[in-house]
Amino acid sequence: MPSLKDVVLHPDRRRAEPPAERVDLRPPIWLGIAAWAVTLVVAVVLQATDTVTGGRLVATACAGLALGLVGLWWERRNRNRYRG
């Protein structure tokens, strides 16, 4: 095992990095989108029954859904890079 000084001064001497795991990111992204969709339904029901005032909960759920869709877009665009 090379010392820290050797690794910093001579990065070509360090061990090769292991290959990245091939994973499919779509299932966890869809799970997150489903969780935010359930949250949105609950938030709308709470808003309609005047249990919660203000639209912060609904806005947060909408933002979560939007970020999930951005995640799907990113996954599709970068699939070749992270899956090899």
Side-chain angles (χ1 to χ4, degrees):
M1 182 84 177
S3 68
L4 180 63
K5 182 181 89 172
D6 288 337
V7 171
V8 171
L9 294 177
H10 306 288
D12 54 329
R13 293 184 188 172
R14 65 182 171 184
R15 291 184 291 164
E17 294 182 10
E21 288 290 322
R22 295 182 64 164
V23 294
D24 186 8
L25 295 177
R26 288 174 290 183
I29 293 172
W30 279 113
L31 185 65
I33 289 173
W36 281 114
V38 169
T39 304
L40 180 61
V41 170
V42 170
V44 168
V45 169
L46 290 174
Q47 187 83 23
T49 60
D50 289 331
T51 305
V52 175
T53 58
R56 186 174 291 176
L57 187 58
V58 173
T60 302
C62 288
L65 283 173
L67 288 173
L69 294 175
V70 169
L72 280 177
W73 171 80
W74 178 89
E75 188 276 334
R76 182 177 175 96
R77 188 164 180 177
N78 293 298
R79 187 176 299 159
N80 290 336
R81 186 175 70 183
Y82 75 84
R83 286 178 83 183

